Amino acid sequence: MERVLTAAGHLPKKFAAAAVLAVFPYLSTGAGDFPSPVLDSMYPVVDPAEAELGQLLFYDPILSGSRKVACASCHHPSFGTSDGVSLGLGDGGVGIGPDRIADPTNLPERRVPRNSPGLWNVGAFEFRSLFHDGRVELGGSQPDGVRTPLDRDMMSGFASVLAAQTMFPVVSPDEMAGHYSENSIAEIVRLGILTEEGGAWDRIARNVARSGDYAERFKRVYWHIDGADDVTFVDISNAIAAFIAHEFRSDTSPFDAHLRGEAELSPDEKVGMELFFGSAGCSSCHSGPFLTDHEFHAMGDPQLGPGKAARFEHHARDEGRFRVTGNPADRFAFRTPSLRNVALTAPYGHAGAFADLRSYIRHHIDPVDGLNRYDRRQVILPELSVNDWRIMDDPAETGAIAASVELAPQSLSEGEIAALAAFLNSLTDPIAVSGRLGVPGEVPSGLAVPNR
């Protein structure tokens, strides 16, 4: 195996992957095809000026109700575009990453219900659904062909599904809006007034456009904007999406270099790659150039925190894709994450239940047994006076999660687990991690930029 892969590594880039497939035909069958190299054509062309505007907006707390939380508060490059904790503190938190604590003058009512996902490559054309449950996705007859929780009431004019996705964190009470008695944005969100003139998105857009020199910056980027009153939140979303697509593109990892015939993987990484695309079965779901099938699978992940419930519900359950489709087959199924830079995005799982890669790999080997034997000491949670274990303390609830698992258990040695972890580390991209535009020193609003 090692000799063949090493030889493939010296071939011209367009032949390297083909050589591996010729010798290992099991890599080219079914959903687990060995990926081809990532190409420029897989990404949109980004206007540098639009990305630079989006960079400022991404790091500016002016988008939040309290003016204390930015997109980067929960998606920071220092933590692999996540936040380094199992479940974060959005509004009402102070600091970033594992050092983020509850603000004693404005205590959060609860944690953010789901782990903050990494943003690597989400601007690529292949990403047609976003969020852990895919509730924003391409398809249907809704505005711009994007399905969202607002259906036909959604605003239009989005450049991409990613742009539509950026609309929602700013109106989430847990993430950026705040709770209804705390600020004017939170109050109008509570009333459900989002898309109308004077609604939540319009008010946030007015706050942005009248802050610093944002209006002039928008005029320079978008031909249809002549002044502050012309800026809409759709424009803000398009700019943020352009920044994310540019800044967090990731296709220059050691694994990418190997696919292109430009470098070799280490012996341990090669063994892990053989397992990943072979007998371990990882690529049955983590397939394609970004190592995701973009589908939804029930993997028996432990559930902690507040869960996802409507206002009239009082459970702490998170049934994943089921809450989007209503299909019982989707209960407890979550979107397959891309594995690009996965070594940087711990903790893992939709609720951040696993502290490190090897622990999560062990869980995947036998999810039902992993759920039953789960070690709660793995969580990384900012201190907050809430009950995080309502589901895990209820045998009926954990039994329902276990019953949803369709993956058959298998056996891997600790050495094989270590090899898989080594391969996953080869997906870390030093260029993407260092950033293209980076963290700005200041933003037009003059508010504090989230940074270490």
Side-chain angles (χ1 to χ4, degrees):
M1 175 70 180
E2 181 180 336
R3 288 195 301 274
V4 173
L5 290 178
T6 300
H10 290 295
L11 291 173
K13 64 177 70 175
K14 66 179 180 179
F15 298 123
V20 175
L21 296 180
V23 180
F24 297 101
Y26 66 81
L27 296 179
S28 60
T29 58
D33 285 357
F34 195 83
S36 58
V38 176
L39 305 174
D40 287 345
S41 60
M42 296 177 181
Y43 299 92
V45 175
V46 176
D47 176 3
E50 188 178 22
E52 290 169 5
L53 173 59
Q55 175 209 25
L56 298 174
L57 293 162
F58 185 85
Y59 287 95
D60 199 332
I62 191 68
L63 271 66
S64 65
S66 66
R67 304 193 181 196
K68 295 180 180 179
V69 184
C71 305
S73 298
C74 295
H75 297 283
H76 201 280
S78 296
F79 307 101
T81 69
S82 183
D83 60 0
V85 296
S86 299
L87 299 174
L89 298 177
D91 181 77
V94 178
I96 64 168
D99 295 329
R100 191 167 176 82
I101 62 172
D103 183 350
T105 67
N106 178 29
L107 286 174
E109 294 185 11
R110 63 178 193 170
R111 305 185 193 282
V112 175
R114 290 175 177 160
N115 180 257
S116 178
L119 300 180
W120 306 110
N121 290 315
V122 293
F125 294 123
E126 184 177 302
F127 286 77
R128 298 174 60 85
S129 65
L130 296 167
F131 290 116
H132 287 289
D133 57 13
R135 63 186 181 273
V136 173
E137 58 187 334
L138 288 177
S141 58
Q142 286 83 351
D144 299 322
V146 179
R147 292 192 186 99
T148 76
L150 291 180
D151 295 323
R152 292 185 178 276
D153 292 331
M154 187 61 175
M155 301 166 71
S156 62
F158 299 107
S160 64
V161 66
L162 176 59
Q165 182 273 334
T166 65
M167 299 283 288
F168 289 93
V170 299
V171 293
S172 165
D174 299 312
E175 296 178 56
M176 297 179 71
H179 292 273
Y180 71 94
S181 62
E182 296 173 352
N183 62 73
S184 61
I185 300 298
E187 289 173 1
I188 202 163
V189 167
R190 177 75 173 188
L191 296 173
I193 303 173
L194 303 179
T195 60
E196 300 92 329
E197 182 177 352
W201 282 317
D202 182 53
R203 291 192 185 193
I204 297 170
R206 302 281 67 74
N207 290 342
V208 170
R210 295 167 183 167
S211 179
D213 64 349
Y214 269 125
E216 289 300 315
R217 291 177 181 271
F218 274 94
K219 285 172 59 177
R220 291 196 293 267
V221 171
Y222 297 117
W223 63 268
H224 61 276
I225 293 177
D226 294 321
D229 290 342
D230 297 323
V231 177
T232 71
F233 203 89
V234 171
D235 299 313
I236 293 170
S237 290
N238 285 337
I240 293 174
F243 167 69
I244 292 172
H246 173 74
E247 184 76 354
F248 303 130
R249 170 174 170 167
S250 181
D251 63 338
T252 52
S253 69
F255 180 60
D256 290 300
H258 181 77
L259 289 179
R260 292 168 175 150
E262 299 165 353
E264 300 178 10
L265 296 180
S266 72
D268 286 343
E269 291 167 345
K270 292 174 185 176
V271 171
M273 181 176 68
E274 179 182 9
L275 286 164
F276 187 94
F277 293 103
S279 60
C282 308
S283 61
S284 62
C285 296
H286 293 284
S287 56
F290 302 112
L291 301 181
T292 172
D293 61 2
H294 302 284
E295 298 294 338
F296 302 86
H297 303 283
M299 297 300 297
D301 282 12
Q303 173 60 40
L304 58 136
K308 295 289 283 188
R311 287 180 182 172
F312 59 85
E313 297 175 316
H314 301 287
H315 62 75
R317 196 179 308 124
D318 190 339
E319 296 174 302
R321 182 67 171 169
F322 171 74
R323 294 193 67 85
V324 176
T325 67
N327 184 348
D330 291 330
R331 190 167 271 119
F332 306 113
F334 295 88
R335 190 176 178 280
T336 304
S338 169
L339 297 181
R340 296 301 184 140
N341 296 305
V342 66
L344 307 178
T345 61
Y348 303 104
H350 75 275
F354 296 92
D356 58 75
L357 279 174
R358 294 193 189 190
S359 297
Y360 206 22
I361 293 170
R362 291 189 191 98
H363 176 78
H364 275 60
I365 294 170
D366 188 345
V368 174
D369 183 66
L371 178 65
N372 292 331
R373 295 175 177 269
Y374 178 66
D375 181 358
R376 301 183 187 188
R377 292 175 296 180
Q378 293 190 72
V379 299
I380 303 172
L381 291 170
E383 185 175 349
L384 194 65
S385 295
V386 294
N387 181 1
D388 291 308
W389 301 107
R390 290 170 58 191
I391 298 298
M392 295 300 290
D393 287 336
D394 187 331
E397 295 283 1
T398 56
I401 295 172
S404 71
V405 175
E406 298 180 356
L407 187 70
Q410 60 175 315
S411 177
L412 291 177
S413 69
E414 285 299 312
E416 289 172 321
I417 291 172
L420 283 169
F423 169 65
L424 294 177
N425 273 278
S426 79
L427 303 174
T428 302
D429 180 347
I431 293 177
V433 171
S434 63
R436 294 173 173 84
L437 295 177
V439 181
E442 58 184 11
V443 288
S445 70
L447 298 170
V449 175
N451 207 358
R452 300 189 78 169

